[in-house]
Amino acid sequence: RRLTCFINKIIFSRIQICIRSSTLLCIIPIFIKPFQFIHQFIHSGSLITKSRDAERKRILIIDDDMDMCALLSKFLQRKGFETEMAHSGGKGTAKFKEGNFDLVLCDFRLGDKEGKEVLQEIKAESPKTPVVIITGYSDIKTAVDVIKMGAFDYISKPLIPDEVLNVVNKALQAETESVDMPAAGTQKKNIPKE
């Protein structure tokens, strides 16, 4: 309300200045229109935020490296995603069963179990949820194994932000387009050749 009053005062003060100078009367609309836009933007801001929040995708990050997990979470939040973290395979699968996630990012090497075990548990619970495996080992066999087991794709460390975002967006797009298709991960373009 204070901001609205402030904007109204500026509008009226500018109109008065223009009226005093009869040669500038034609400029009144130029001053008013920008402030009308700001006023509408302020009052519709809450609706815009609500609609964006309703469309936000939820991502579960499972990684025993707490620093990496936090950095990845903050990066994805800045890109408009809602994230939750788990620092072990057991906690990750438990959190997945409790929540409703659109995508899972899971490290291949976890303290209590391997990423492919977590992948199997997630796919058993929700076959259509895309899972992206993060691995520090860029060997072909690991990539082939996890993709054959149903992972959407894999990302090798060190993580490149643009690559992470690209894979996340592709996985989410494929998930929305797979309503009448087989479970996500059964058809892959990114399967490396052995």
Side-chain angles (χ1 to χ4, degrees):
R1 290 180 182 178
R2 289 179 182 176
L3 188 56
T4 305
C5 292
F6 176 71
I7 290 170
N8 289 337
K9 284 180 183 178
I10 293 173
I11 291 170
F12 289 120
S13 65
R14 288 181 182 238
I15 289 171
Q16 287 172 1
I17 290 167
C18 290
I19 289 171
R20 285 177 191 160
S21 176
S22 58
T23 56
L24 297 176
L25 279 174
C26 59
I27 304 176
I28 290 175
I30 297 170
F31 285 107
I32 293 174
K33 282 185 179 179
F35 287 105
Q36 284 176 338
F37 172 77
I38 293 167
H39 180 77
Q40 289 170 355
F41 180 78
I42 290 165
H43 286 281
S44 63
S46 58
L47 297 173
I48 291 169
T49 304
K50 284 178 185 176
S51 64
R52 281 180 181 168
D53 287 343
E55 294 171 3
R56 289 178 76 180
K57 298 291 186 179
R58 298 188 72 221
I59 300 174
L60 175 61
I61 304 166
I62 307 171
D63 197 329
D64 58 347
D65 184 338
M66 293 186 184
D67 293 333
M68 177 63 70
C69 209
L71 285 170
L72 195 53
S73 178
K74 285 177 184 176
F75 169 72
L76 291 170
Q77 285 173 4
R78 284 199 304 270
K79 297 300 177 181
F81 299 102
E82 185 180 332
T83 62
E84 284 196 37
M85 299 179 290
H87 302 300
S88 71
K91 288 178 181 176
T93 52
K95 193 164 276 194
F96 181 80
K97 289 172 184 177
E98 291 170 6
N100 184 24
F101 295 96
D102 300 292
L103 173 71
V104 177
L105 291 173
C106 181
D107 193 23
F108 185 75
R109 304 283 182 187
L110 297 165
D112 57 341
K113 57 177 76 178
E114 287 192 343
K116 60 184 177 183
E117 293 177 58
V118 177
L119 171 64
Q120 286 176 324
E121 291 174 28
I122 288 169
K123 286 296 177 182
E125 185 74 20
S126 176
K128 289 187 180 285
T129 302
V131 179
V132 176
I133 298 293
I134 302 167
T135 176
Y137 307 86
S138 57
D139 59 308
I140 304 296
K141 189 177 184 308
T142 300
V144 170
D145 287 347
V146 296
I147 289 175
K148 281 181 178 178
M149 291 172 66
F152 176 81
D153 206 345
Y154 75 100
I155 308 171
S156 298
K157 293 178 182 178
L159 299 180
I160 300 165
D162 288 342
E163 183 186 354
V164 172
L165 189 61
N166 186 38
V167 172
V168 164
N169 285 329
K170 280 183 180 178
L172 290 170
Q173 186 178 358
E175 190 262 341
T176 55
E177 291 173 356
S178 68
V179 178
D180 298 319
M181 293 182 180
T186 55
Q187 296 178 347
K188 296 290 174 282
K189 294 180 182 177
N190 301 323
I191 297 177
K193 295 178 181 179
E194 292 188 278

